[in-house]
Amino acid sequence: MKTILVFGGAGYIGSHTTKLLLENDYNVIVADNLQYGHKEAILTKHFEYADLMDKESLNNIFEKYKIDVVIHFAGFISVGESVENPMKYYTNNVIGTLNLLEIMLKHNVKNIVFSSTAAIFGNPIYTPIDESHPTNPINPYGMSKLMIEHILKDYHKAYNLNYIALRYFNASGCDEDGIIGESHNPETHLIPLILKAIKGEKEYIKIFGDDYETPDGTCIRDYIYIKDLAMAHKLAIEKIENYSGSINLGTSKGNSVKEIIKIAEKITQKTCPIQIDKRRQGDPAILIASNQKAKEILNWTPSYDIEDIIKTAWNWELNKKF
Ligand code: UDP
């Protein structure tokens, strides 16, 4: 049985991946500093409090367990905050990852699956975005992730570190059984905010710009279901000793902000109050992934669609556990 260290396993994508790995009989150790993670989302009995900036806390984990693969989810993720406070992003995301890699290599742990992002591409020059598309991040968040991808590539060459960097497009939805879900504080993501507006918890949803060059003027994104993302991590673990590189993860389909609102209204049978606002800085008009490489390398294809995403997110919104 393989032992997987899920760093950041109390967070949104980390907890859903942990759940899938446990269901597939992996031995899962969750590490988290609980700054943004939720203790209610820790699904394994093996929990270690650890912080990427505290090498001793990292070292203790590798002394205690024989880890086969690390999945590293523990990054800061807010684009706007990264523009205002780049130091926070470069420190945690880049130096924190360097610390983790140093301790891994010290203990001869050579396999890492890394959470990367569509934000490394900046404003796309074509869509769907494949892995040959140039990288040109337009905010410190995306840049911090791209820097780590370069570091992983160099460590692969120099130290035989195996890595798979998974570049998520818009992770969304929640587990169907309602045990875990999406809960960010503050919440900035479109789907939970729409559902909060529908529920009456927010006065309205602000649409950030309706003058983009898209059919209805609102931004188009590639929303990918959280359990499909979790599955990609499981497949990456299985593949990692035979492949190192970066892979885009999306559905190859896009929905506009207005389309998402319509689907949410259909599913909830309620009206969503909206307000048109100005564009949000750093938002490209269209982000859609090509998932050809994910198919070829990981044998991964998404199984859920946008309706599944919004149904499960609505179920969570009505029955939140944290
Ligand atoms: N968006 C919006 N209103 C909001 C939050 C998001 O119109 O209150 C738009 C945003 O401009 C983007 C899309 O919804 O086009 C998805 O944004 P989100 O923050 O969920 O994910 P991102 O694309 O930034 O990763």
Side-chain angles (χ1 to χ4, degrees):
M1 188 200 288
K2 280 200 169 163
T3 298
I4 314 296
L5 173 63
V6 179
F7 216 103
Y12 173 46
I13 308 178
S15 59
H16 283 82
T17 301
T18 298
K19 185 167 188 283
L20 181 78
L21 295 178
L22 290 170
E23 286 163 1
N24 284 274
D25 295 326
Y26 283 93
N27 184 31
V28 183
I29 319 300
V30 163
D32 207 293
N33 67 1
L34 297 177
Q35 187 179 352
Y36 292 105
H38 302 273
K39 59 181 184 327
E40 299 89 337
I42 300 169
L43 301 176
T44 173
K45 54 185 188 296
H46 303 296
F47 172 68
E48 299 293 328
Y49 176 88
D51 191 297
L52 290 174
M53 299 314 293
D54 174 4
K55 285 192 208 173
E56 202 183 319
S57 73
L58 304 179
N59 197 55
N60 291 341
I61 300 173
F62 290 88
E63 302 253 313
K64 186 165 168 186
Y65 304 96
K66 201 193 155 311
I67 308 287
D68 294 297
V69 182
V70 175
I71 313 184
H72 175 23
F73 290 105
F76 292 148
I77 58 162
S78 174
V79 168
E81 187 188 44
S82 80
V83 176
E84 281 154 29
N85 191 0
M87 194 193 297
K88 176 172 171 179
Y89 279 71
Y90 289 121
T91 304
N92 177 80
N93 291 6
V94 183
I95 299 181
T97 303
L98 285 170
N99 289 343
L100 178 61
L101 292 173
E102 179 188 324
I103 303 299
M104 283 174 64
L105 291 174
K106 179 178 155 197
H107 291 271
N108 210 23
V109 176
K110 298 243 170 153
N111 301 313
I112 183 165
V113 178
F114 173 66
S115 297
S116 190
T117 169
I120 64 162
F121 294 110
N123 286 312
I125 48 183
Y126 62 84
T127 58
I129 301 173
D130 58 20
E131 288 75 3
S132 317
H133 188 288
T135 50
N136 186 21
I138 52 173
N139 52 62
Y141 164 65
M143 184 57 87
S144 72
K145 293 285 184 174
L146 182 60
M147 288 165 83
I148 301 164
E149 286 202 21
H150 286 296
I151 290 165
L152 291 170
K153 202 171 175 186
D154 291 341
Y155 279 34
H156 171 65
K157 279 192 215 132
Y159 312 126
N160 296 320
L161 178 82
N162 303 310
Y163 78 95
I164 296 183
L166 297 175
R167 296 155 167 176
Y168 316 141
F169 280 61
N170 287 63
S172 41
C174 302
D175 195 89
E176 295 106 324
D177 68 12
I179 295 171
I180 49 175
E182 181 169 18
S183 189
H184 298 111
N185 189 15
E187 189 52 79
T188 59
H189 294 103
L190 181 69
I191 293 175
L193 289 177
I194 289 173
L195 297 175
K196 283 181 203 307
I198 286 179
K199 217 173 123 193
E201 206 176 290
K202 266 178 72 76
E203 211 181 327
Y204 48 77
I205 178 86
K206 285 184 190 166
I207 296 182
F208 294 147
D210 67 349
D211 55 352
Y212 283 94
E213 280 184 31
T214 58
D216 67 18
T218 63
C219 286
I220 294 176
R221 293 288 178 273
D222 183 340
Y223 295 89
I224 166 168
Y225 185 47
I226 189 75
K227 284 181 66 176
D228 281 325
L229 269 191
M231 179 55 76
H233 291 80
K234 175 179 172 286
L235 296 170
I237 290 171
E238 289 162 5
K239 188 77 188 182
I240 196 154
E241 287 181 353
N242 302 311
Y243 176 81
S244 284
S246 298
I247 299 176
N248 296 351
L249 285 184
T251 65
S252 295
K253 288 188 206 93
N255 287 103
S256 72
V257 173
K258 282 188 177 165
E259 281 171 355
I260 297 289
I261 293 171
K262 272 209 195 89
I263 300 167
E265 289 183 328
K266 189 180 101 189
I267 286 169
T268 60
Q269 296 285 300
K270 291 178 200 293
T271 307
C272 180
I274 63 165
Q275 191 180 83
I276 306 294
D277 204 339
K278 59 182 190 312
R279 291 183 178 196
R280 186 173 66 177
Q281 213 195 343
D283 264 343
I286 304 178
L287 281 175
I288 298 174
S290 158
N291 57 22
Q292 203 51 43
K293 185 171 175 186
K295 270 185 201 144
E296 281 163 22
I297 303 284
L298 300 178
N299 196 22
W300 177 87
T301 39
S303 318
Y304 296 84
D305 66 14
I306 188 67
E307 298 219 354
D308 300 315
I309 288 174
I310 295 179
K311 274 182 204 153
T312 55
W314 181 233
N315 182 41
W316 173 254
E317 199 52 56
L318 295 175
N319 304 288
K320 272 188 145 175
K321 305 287 188 293
F322 49 85

